Every structure is written in structure tokens, then in C-alpha cells.
Amino acid sequence: MNRKNFQIFLIACDIALIIIYTLLFHLSRPMGSSSVAFVPQGSIAQIITYMVDKNFDLHPEVDKYLLRFIGKPQAGWVNINKEVLTRGDFLYKLCTAKAPLKAITYIPGETKELLFVQLALAFELSYEKLHEEYALATPYVDGFIVPETYYIPVGISEKHLIHFLLAHAKAYHKAVFEKIFGEFNEAKWQKFIIIASIIQKEAANVEEMPLVSSVIYNRLKKDMKLQMDGTLNYGEYSHTKVTPQRIREDTSSYNTYMHKGLPQNPICSVSKEAIFAAIFPKTTNYLYFVKNKSGTHNFSQNYETHLENIRNGF
């Protein structure tokens, strides 16, 4: 090897050492993390971009190439375990540390208050903190979180759990409404979700939902009060029996015996069937319904028939 080539070799070695030391320094730098992190499906570049958007202290270009040597990140929840660790440890955990999960089922017709009780007990979280994070993250009082079974990592914080639930809800509602209307209109969505939540509380089964929906629309069209017990089963009152005293004393917009029109907010979580019934009510002249002996409802067009159904209903 001549002198010139040897000098080039030494320069290349120096550059390689600088790169190696720089990468080692980069990997050894401390970074903060939540105890669990969510890794989306996608390429390594998409995953790094997602995590940078979620405020993880990663370098979009450098860490993308480092991960190619470490391994492919696992999609789903990853158990980081430590709140402060090196960047190298964090990248390694993205590829190897699956988080233990618990299944939580949120039932259609339930309120977020009872969901938060369930989450607080199952994951040793603060019920009050869940409410605080929810209020900070969204203006929707209820009806937004999607009723389904969730697989949630042990160790998740209140903030990350709320953001996970809301991100899923946003994508879900947008997809449903775009499929039907071609676009997502927030004001239109809010009205349909309010109606769907009343249907969810009032209907005895899926088959009744379009009929209950027709009663709601027919009464609104005639400027009649809805006068439905289900609207008073909001929030903490989800399973509270509606009494004459409650009807007299509850002055909120949920009291459709006292106020005309729809409540200002949805009452509870809603199923896709209830949403469809709210958008596509059955064409009827029904204005009344009452529960019968079989647990379903008798529907009627006039008050006299309704009174007869009440007398024969139980």
C-alpha cells in the first residue's frame, strides 16, 4: 500500500470511528418514556414518524436506520417498564418487550362514568384523573368512546389510556359517517349520536331501534316533548330508576319531560346499529311506546291506544 492510499485508509478509519462514537453517544443518551408505548402497524419509517409525533425523543432519520440493525418493532403495546432509559434500550424494547394486556369490555348503552370506574379498578388508576384527562382532550361529554372490547396494557397512565380511547373513537366515527355521507360533518354527527344514544337506552332490541327512532323524529316534528325516561339515565345515573320526584327536580337538558327537543349531549355509548337507526328511522306515524309483558314495546299512533297499552302492559 503506497503512502497516499495509507493516508486515505487512516482518514476512512478516523471517519468510521467518529461515526461509531457518535452513534454510541446517541444510543447512550437518556430519554423519557411512559411505562408502556403503542407501536402502530407499518414500516420502520412510519413507526418512527408516529412516535416522534407522539413526542418521543427520537431522531426521524438516525433512529430509523438504527432500528434496521436492531430489529423490526412489534406492533401493539410495548412494555417499556422504566420512565428513564437510554435511547438504545428504548429502541431495543420496541422490538422485544410485549406488554401484558387486560381485556375490558365497554357495553353499548353504558356511560363513560361507569367505564372509568371499571378502568380505575382494573388498572389501579385514578377515577378523577381519568375524568380530568378526558375533559382536557375532548369537548364531547359522552357517546364518543366506542363500545367494544379493548386490550389494554398493564401499567398504562391515565393520560395515555384516554388518548388511546379517543384516537380510536375519532377514527371509528369518521369512518362510519364517511361511509354513509361521503364526508364527516361534526354538527350532523353530534345530532345523530345524541339521537342514537336515546335509541340505545330506550329500545329493547336491535329490531326496535328504527321504530324508537321514528317516534323521536315524529315527536320532534310535531314540537312535542320526547318524555323518555332513558334520557335521564345519563352519567352517574345510568342505572338509577327514574322516579316522579327525579322528573320534577332534574333541571338539566337531559330531562325531556321538562324540556322540548334533544338533550345537549349524548347520554351513553352507542352501537353501530343505534347510529344506523338514528340516520335511517323507519317510516311510521308512531308517537308513543310502552314496555309490554314480554319486555319489548308496544307502539301506537294516538294517546288513547297508548293508555290502553299501558293498562295491558304489565
Side-chain angles (χ1 to χ4, degrees):
M1 181 182 293
N2 58 40
R3 184 179 180 85
K4 183 176 180 181
N5 288 339
F6 183 69
Q7 288 177 332
I8 293 173
F9 173 74
L10 289 177
I11 292 171
C13 288
D14 287 341
I15 293 172
L17 286 172
I18 291 171
I19 292 173
I20 291 171
Y21 286 137
T22 301
L23 291 176
L24 288 174
F25 175 75
H26 176 76
L27 289 171
S28 65
R29 288 178 60 195
M31 64 173 288
S33 172
S34 54
S35 59
V36 293
F38 182 75
V39 179
Q41 292 279 1
S43 66
I44 288 176
Q46 290 170 329
I47 290 169
I48 291 294
T49 299
Y50 170 86
M51 304 209 79
V52 169
D53 289 342
K54 297 299 179 183
N55 297 318
F56 284 94
D57 185 19
L58 297 175
H59 192 285
E61 294 301 324
V62 175
D63 290 326
K64 175 176 68 177
Y65 290 107
L66 286 172
L67 265 179
R68 295 187 192 280
F69 291 99
I70 297 172
K72 180 72 167 64
Q74 303 182 75
W77 291 102
V78 176
N79 185 18
I80 303 301
N81 203 23
K82 298 179 181 178
E83 290 187 1
V84 178
L85 67 172
T86 67
R87 182 172 277 98
D89 287 338
F90 180 81
L91 295 175
Y92 178 74
K93 283 180 178 292
L94 289 185
C95 302
T96 60
K98 273 290 188 185
L101 305 176
K102 281 186 180 181
I104 295 293
T105 299
Y106 186 31
I107 301 170
E110 201 48 271
T111 64
K112 78 176 191 302
E113 279 73 15
L114 292 185
L115 171 64
F116 289 172
V117 168
Q118 189 179 7
L119 292 171
L121 291 174
F123 295 94
E124 298 182 1
L125 299 173
S126 165
Y127 174 80
E128 291 76 17
K129 185 68 173 174
L130 287 169
H131 271 284
E132 289 172 11
E133 294 295 345
Y134 183 90
L136 288 171
T138 182
Y140 304 124
V141 174
D142 213 332
F144 190 52
I145 299 176
V146 182
E148 61 181 60
T149 297
Y150 294 92
Y151 294 91
I152 300 171
V154 175
I156 193 169
S157 69
E158 291 87 352
K159 181 176 181 178
H160 284 106
L161 176 51
I162 290 299
H163 280 267
F164 165 69
L165 294 173
L166 294 181
H168 174 66
K170 183 178 181 180
Y172 170 87
H173 288 294
K174 189 171 184 290
V176 170
F177 276 77
E178 284 183 347
K179 185 175 181 179
I180 296 171
F181 297 107
E183 63 177 359
F184 181 78
N185 181 291
E186 187 172 4
K188 184 184 290 186
W189 169 84
Q190 178 78 346
K191 178 182 177 181
F192 283 131
I193 295 298
I194 291 172
I195 294 172
S197 70
I198 300 172
I199 294 169
Q200 193 77 61
K201 284 287 191 182
E202 293 287 347
N205 51 45
V206 171
E207 289 72 25
E208 281 192 358
M209 287 183 172
L211 294 173
V212 173
S213 183
S214 74
V215 173
I216 294 171
Y217 282 103
N218 289 342
R219 292 180 77 92
L220 290 174
K221 187 175 181 180
K222 289 182 175 293
D223 200 31
M224 297 172 66
K225 293 175 182 176
L226 294 184
Q227 295 181 312
M228 295 183 180
D229 285 3
T231 62
L232 283 165
N233 289 133
Y234 63 90
E236 62 185 289
Y237 304 108
S238 181
H239 296 283
T240 302
K241 184 178 180 180
V242 177
T243 62
Q245 181 181 357
R246 177 86 189 289
I247 291 171
R248 288 192 302 270
E249 295 178 355
D250 192 313
T251 60
S252 72
S253 74
Y254 296 103
N255 189 347
T256 55
Y257 287 93
M258 185 178 293
H259 305 291
K260 287 183 179 180
L262 297 171
Q264 292 178 356
N265 298 292
I267 303 155
C268 62
S269 63
V270 294
S271 63
K272 191 174 291 186
E273 291 83 1
I275 295 174
F276 285 178
I279 298 171
F280 305 109
K282 194 171 183 65
T283 301
T284 75
N285 293 318
Y286 294 146
L287 293 171
Y288 307 92
F289 60 90
V290 65
K291 186 176 289 187
N292 56 40
K293 293 177 182 178
S294 66
T296 56
H297 293 92
N298 290 333
F299 293 81
S300 55
Q301 301 179 26
N302 57 71
Y303 190 60
E304 291 73 21
T305 306
H306 178 59
L307 290 177
E308 184 179 345
N309 288 337
I310 291 174
R311 288 191 292 269
N312 298 330
F314 297 97

